[in-house]
Amino acid sequence: MASIICGSLAFDTIMNFEGRFGDQILPDQLHILNVSFLVPALRRDFGGCAGNIAYGLKQLGGTPLPMATVGMDGGGYLERLKGQGIASEFVRTIDDAYTAQAMIITDRDNNQINGFHPGAMDYAHLTKITARGDIKLGIIAPDGRDAMLQHAEQFAAAEIPFVFDPGQQLPRFDGDELRTFVDQANWVAVNDYEGKMLSDRTGWSSAEISRHVQGLIVTLGAEGSEVWVDGQKTLVPPVKASAVVDPTGCGDAYRGAVLFGLEQGWSLARCAALGNHLGSLKIAQRGPQNYTVDLKALGL
């Protein structure tokens, strides 16, 4: 069984600020904000939601099929996918654009300030989803706006069950568009902030959203996860990380685990429990694709 993972492939430039953002930003001076953060540590990682989710799913033994775009500088990423045993048949190269780039500054409390250049991601809608015998699941992660809209329609038309995971692209859609996404999807996954925004824009509470789909997951960071099914909430307890090193890509690792569980036919609560485990493994490592999974330790 394979899962199409719609989203970005990106290069993450990750910088660590040793102080706290809150100590540098004066609330009464936001109208003239001009700050600079000294970042002694800097590294460049393979990232992007599609790449990160595919990595997590592959680590668990699943079959990810990322549907994404890279630019003229994307050859290294294609080699990375090949080295991980991840198929790139749905990865399109855009010759006159750069691969998407994320610039991420993390402070000592793991708060983040991000800058994102979409580049080739804005052409993701050029690749279409069609039914295929081995493709049983999908996910729409943050991607180009047109791609997210069209891929949701294509998943629904092909009768491929999928997870709607709007992430940081959620503010780009209005209430009508978000309600349509939810009605087309089989599951919805958001963090707690995104969940509040989704409810505000759709006019539906978490309980109401869960009645439109097979289930809603709301991740709560160190507090675990909420799973909503048919209006009923279940709290899935967190898994304590061995160390808190870098939060970048934790949500994507979680979603890779959810896809794996859905491939196995698990309950959504069990999927979320595995997601909490994978998130705890990821946060203990720098970069979104540098953790490893001991399947025996997870009982798999």
Side-chain angles (χ1 to χ4, degrees):
M1 178 186 297
S3 296
I4 290 182
I5 301 172
C6 299
S8 62
L9 295 178
F11 295 117
D12 290 343
T13 299
I14 300 173
M15 297 159 276
N16 291 101
F17 172 55
E18 295 177 348
R20 292 185 172 91
F21 294 143
D23 294 336
Q24 305 294 319
I25 299 173
L26 303 176
D28 61 343
Q29 299 296 310
L30 291 178
H31 63 293
I32 54 169
L33 183 65
N34 186 356
V35 295
S36 176
F37 302 107
L38 178 65
V39 288
L42 181 150
R43 70 185 187 281
R44 196 173 192 231
D45 286 321
F46 295 100
C49 294
N52 298 343
I53 294 170
Y55 179 86
L57 179 55
K58 185 66 177 181
Q59 284 283 307
L60 292 167
T63 305
L65 295 173
M67 180 174 284
T69 49
V70 295
M72 64 183 84
D73 56 342
Y77 212 136
L78 294 175
E79 287 299 315
R80 163 75 172 181
L81 294 174
K82 181 179 178 181
Q84 293 291 320
I86 297 173
S88 59
E89 61 187 288
F90 295 134
V91 178
R92 180 187 295 263
T93 298
I94 306 299
D95 292 327
D96 59 351
Y98 288 105
T99 302
Q101 313 271 333
M103 311 292 178
I104 304 166
I105 304 177
T106 302
D107 76 358
R108 65 188 298 177
D109 293 329
N110 286 313
N111 298 308
Q112 292 187 326
I113 295 176
N114 297 345
F116 187 74
H117 169 66
M121 190 185 79
D122 280 342
Y123 298 87
H125 62 281
L126 297 178
T127 307
K128 310 299 182 185
I129 295 167
T130 57
R132 202 173 80 181
D134 62 322
I135 297 171
K136 303 299 183 183
L137 286 172
I139 184 169
I140 292 181
D143 205 351
R145 174 183 160 81
D146 290 343
M148 294 178 73
L149 290 165
Q150 293 177 30
H151 287 159
E153 293 176 356
Q154 292 160 12
F155 271 133
E159 298 184 342
I160 299 172
F162 74 95
V163 179
F164 176 51
D165 168 31
Q168 293 179 341
Q169 291 289 65
L170 194 155
R172 299 187 69 183
F173 301 103
D174 62 26
D176 286 339
E177 290 167 330
L178 290 169
R179 284 188 289 270
T180 298
F181 274 125
V182 172
D183 283 334
Q184 290 169 330
N186 298 80
W187 305 274
V188 175
V190 289
N191 64 28
D192 50 350
Y193 179 83
E194 295 157 359
K196 291 181 177 65
M197 181 179 290
L198 182 61
S199 289
D200 181 66
R201 294 204 171 185
T202 60
W204 296 336
S205 66
S206 293
E208 289 173 309
I209 291 170
S210 74
R211 294 189 181 100
H212 285 258
V213 289
Q214 294 180 34
L216 164 69
I217 289 175
V218 182
T219 59
L220 307 173
E223 303 303 314
S225 313
E226 291 176 356
V227 171
W228 292 81
V229 176
D230 196 23
Q232 299 299 310
K233 180 177 72 172
T234 301
L235 182 63
V236 181
V239 175
K240 185 175 177 59
S242 61
V244 178
V245 175
D246 179 11
T248 308
C250 281
D252 295 331
Y254 185 107
R255 283 147 179 78
V258 168
L259 280 179
F260 177 81
L262 292 174
E263 286 184 356
Q264 310 308 307
W266 293 357
S267 70
L268 202 57
R270 186 178 177 187
C271 294
L274 182 61
N276 288 343
H277 273 283
L278 225 62
S280 73
L281 292 176
K282 206 265 43 102
I283 202 170
Q285 301 294 328
R286 295 201 181 277
Q289 298 179 25
N290 297 319
Y291 62 96
T292 56
V293 175
D294 183 340
L295 296 179
K296 289 185 178 179
L298 292 177
L300 300 175

